[in-house]
């Protein structure tokens, strides 16, 4: 047994220089961790590097080997299955962590047990200043609670080993009451992975993964909501909670709200709840035709977008065909059944 707070799984296939840099930063900046290195049939120089590091770390390291490159996802699953700690981290061997990268993730997880998958701020990546739910994690660096792993197991090895595999993992987590959250942390640097194999085979794998994902989870819808003047921020917050539930099922929402409400929304911390819930303040001094064109532009970017009036009984101003908010809630509830 180990008393480590977290087990860090690092699948490795060659790239000794990047692997050394990754492991050195992890060892220096991840106190209280055990390192599970899964060597996928690397060549001799990488194999020697891993053995030297494992020997120097003693019981803080577990080195596992395969004779061939079994792939990143199977290697990650093998490492997960060997973990004994309350939290599991998965890090690519081309990632460089920063000092204090892990502490905010574990602190957030301790306060929010529903956060089963946690991401640090990644570079390259979008700026992250406040916690925000995401549709998927990242193989560059992510933390998974042991309780979530106990419930749903590892990644689907029959999927693409990329975005759709990660989206599927988040959806499986959602089905058990867990969410995926990016937490403000010191920046973690990573490289885009070099795609191996033929382009045609990668395309076929992706298409198969998309088809499997949609068979399991369906296809999300797109909505534009209009919030009329006079809505209080507390009421808007209650409505946004419904949208976050829908966003966890791949729906996307653009919320058009009065400029006068925007500042209160920012102060209440409601502006970045989920990456698929986007709040857009309407121009304060714009005439109605300009606001209508903004709505039409947003709707045209996602064909099939449905207008929604955020307050029942108040018509949607720029379309005769729309849903009431109550009707939208019924759709969202139906997705949960």
């Amino acid at each position: 047994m180990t008393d480590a707070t977290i087990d860090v799984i690092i699948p490795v296939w060659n790239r000794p220089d990047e692997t050394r840099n990754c492991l050195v930063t992890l060892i220096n900046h991840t106190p209280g961790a055990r390192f599970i290195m899964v060597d996928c049939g690397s060549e001799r120089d990488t194999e020697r590097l891993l053995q030297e590091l494992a020997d120097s770390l003693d019981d803080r390291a577990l080195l596992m080997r395969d004779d061939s490159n079994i792939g990143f996802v199977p290697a990650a699953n093998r490492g997960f299955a060997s973990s004994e700690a309350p939290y599991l981290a998965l890090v690519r061997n081309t990632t460089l962590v920063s000092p204090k990268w892990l502490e905010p993730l574990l602190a957030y997880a301790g306060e929010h047990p529903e956060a089963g998958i946690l991401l640090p701020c990644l570079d390259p990546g979008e700026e992250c200043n406040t916690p925000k739910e995401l549709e998927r994690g990242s193989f560059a660096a992510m933390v998974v609670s042991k309780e979530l792993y106990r419930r749903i197991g590892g990644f689907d090895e029959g999927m693409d080993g990329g975005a759709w595999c990660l989206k599927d993992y988040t959806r499986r987590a959602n089905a058990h009451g867990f969410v995926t959250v990016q937490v403000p942390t010191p920046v973690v640097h990573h490289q885009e992975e070099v795609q191996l194999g033929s382009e045609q085979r990668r395309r076929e794998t992706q298409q198969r993964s998309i088809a499997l994902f949609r068979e399991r989870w369906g296809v999300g819808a797109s909505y534009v909501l209009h919030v009329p003047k006079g809505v209080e921020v507390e009421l808007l917050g209650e409505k946004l909670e419904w949208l976050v539930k829908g966003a966890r099922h791949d729906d996307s929402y653009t919320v058009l709200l009065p400029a006068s409400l925007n500042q209160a929304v920012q102060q209440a911390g409601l502006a970045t709840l989920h990456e698929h819930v986007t709040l857009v303040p309407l121009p304060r001094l714009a005439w109605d035709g300009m606001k209508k064109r903004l709505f039409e532009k947003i709707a045209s970017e996602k064909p099939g977008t449905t207008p929604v009036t955020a307050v029942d009984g108040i018509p949607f101003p720029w379309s005769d065909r729309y849903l009431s908010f109550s009707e939208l809630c019924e759709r969202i509830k139906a997705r949960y059944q």
Side-chain angles (χ1 to χ4, degrees), residues 133 135 167 247 250-254 274-278 302:
E133 281 194 41
E135 69 169 6
K167 282 167 61 73
D250 251 13
D251 291 344
S252 63
Y253 304 90
T254 301
H274 193 288
E275 65 174 320
H276 289 324
V277 179
T278 304
K302 294 183 178 180

Side-chain angles (χ1 to χ4, degrees), residues 83-99:
S83 174
E84 300 172 348
Y87 295 97
L88 306 77
L90 178 61
V91 177
R92 281 198 185 275
N93 65 328
T94 54
T95 295
L96 299 176
V97 302
S98 303

